[in-house]
Structures are given as structure tokens and as C-alpha cells.
Amino acid sequence: MHKISDGILMMRTNERVCSTVYVLEHEGKRLIIDSGDGKLAFNFTPEICILTHGHYDHAKGVKPEWKNVFLHPADFSKKPYITVPPNAKKLDFATLSFGPFQLEMIHTPGHTDGSICILEKKSGLLFSGDTKFAQGDYGRTDLEGSEEEMQKSLARIDKLGWKLLCPAHGYLEQREDGKLI
Ligand SMILES: [Zn+2]
């Protein structure tokens, strides 16, 4: 695990196909964002797991014993590459406090209908899933969703006060100077 910020870490494999998993820690409890494709080894049970969307490389790592797994309702579908873990619940909150962290869920359709980005307000980290990547790149819209929806979602993200982009694949990027991490 690599530390990004106070209490925020990331896990990933060398394979770009597996989503990065972000881990928020507070007093021995963990909230994770995405779960990878099943190849990442978890030596802990997260209290909460929020999936940025239902694609298998983000959702397949969810273990049956995890109790609080959330996915946007619009991704409870039988579309190609979507894997809905049997224990997933429909995400029905717009904000969530976890220890010192203040998370805001932003619905950003375009890559999938139920894609979300998650803003951690204190640190200014934006967990952007497959919606927004470093260097102006963004998620594919040819599987479902649409280019038009994607552009609207990207515009919505631009208005938020984030400082560090934390996508599910590839580099992290600082907003002011474009430095990659
Ligand atoms: Zn995806």
C-alpha cells in the first residue's frame, strides 16, 4: 500500500486492467473505493466499500462477507462487463462521514449509467473512477452511456473544489501544476 495523504492509501497491481483501490483508514477501520478485479489480496475486511461503477475490474474483488458494499442504482443492470456483487446495496446517500473524512458522491454518467466520482472534502482528493483520468483523458463511452453525458459529467467535476485527481487507472495528477504521481 502506498500513502497518498493522511489516512489515505492506495493498492494496485502492475496490471493496468485492475482498478486501483483507495483505502481510507480511521482508528483501525477502513473504507475502500473500488475493489479491483479479484487479484488484489486484502488482509483486512473493510467496514464500507463504495464502487465507482459496476465494471468487473472494479467490482469483482468484493468478498461475500463484506457487509456494506454500495453501487449506484443505475449500474444494477445486465450490461456488458458489469458485475454486480450479490451483496451490493444500492447507493442511497449523497454524503458520508467516515472518521475525519467527508465524502460527497457525485453521479457522473457517461462511462456507465451509474458511474460516480467521490470527493473527499478536507483533503481535496477526487476519486474519479473511470470517468476522469490524468492528462485530460477520460473513460470510454462506447460500451454504454454516451459522449454527451460524459462531457456534462466532466464539466460538473471541473466545478468542484478538488486538488488531486485519483483515478481508478493510471497516474494521479495535481490540479494546479499537472504533476503526475
Ligand atoms: Zn470501467
Side-chain angles (χ1 to χ4, degrees):
M1 286 212 254
H2 307 276
K3 186 179 167 184
I4 307 170
S5 176
D6 280 347
I8 304 181
L9 304 103
M10 63 192 283
M11 300 167 65
R12 62 180 167 196
T13 67
N14 292 327
E15 296 170 53
R16 194 182 149 94
V17 67
C18 177
S19 75
T20 298
V21 174
Y22 293 99
V23 182
L24 280 59
E25 289 185 328
H26 177 65
E27 293 180 349
K29 293 184 174 166
R30 296 182 176 94
L31 176 153
I32 66 171
I33 296 170
D34 285 329
S35 69
D37 61 2
K39 291 185 189 132
L40 277 168
F42 291 94
N43 59 1
F44 61 89
T45 300
E47 299 290 310
I48 300 170
C49 169
I50 305 175
L51 302 172
T52 59
H53 62 293
H55 279 156
Y56 74 96
D57 55 321
H58 300 249
K60 230 182 147 189
V62 169
K63 303 280 180 288
E65 65 270 22
W66 294 0
K67 290 201 171 63
N68 298 299
V69 178
F70 297 100
L71 174 67
H72 191 280
D75 267 6
F76 278 74
S77 62
K78 287 204 162 51
K79 300 229 169 86
Y81 310 109
I82 295 269
T83 297
V84 180
N87 51 335
K89 301 172 195 171
K90 290 181 179 166
L91 182 88
D92 60 354
F93 46 86
T95 58
L96 180 70
S97 295
F98 182 76
F101 305 111
Q102 302 288 333
L103 303 173
E104 185 181 337
M105 315 293 138
I106 303 119
H107 185 208
T108 51
H111 177 64
T112 66
D113 294 338
S115 284
I116 61 165
C117 292
I118 303 170
L119 175 65
E120 200 292 296
K121 289 182 161 179
K122 293 207 167 155
S123 60
L125 267 57
L126 181 74
F127 303 100
S128 56
D130 282 3
T131 297
K132 185 172 171 70
F133 299 121
Q135 299 187 297
D137 212 354
Y138 58 88
R140 54 192 293 187
T141 56
D142 57 329
L143 299 171
E144 60 172 293
S146 73
E147 186 68 22
E148 194 189 340
E149 277 190 315
M150 175 60 90
Q151 292 305 328
K152 277 190 210 161
S153 292
L154 292 171
R156 192 173 311 143
I157 292 169
D158 271 351
K159 291 190 191 113
L160 303 170
W162 53 271
K163 294 179 194 148
L164 181 69
L165 184 74
C166 301
H169 302 277
Y171 291 104
L172 283 62
E173 184 180 47
Q174 279 176 358
R175 192 171 198 173
E176 320 89 79
D177 56 11
K179 194 175 157 222
L180 300 177
I181 297 170

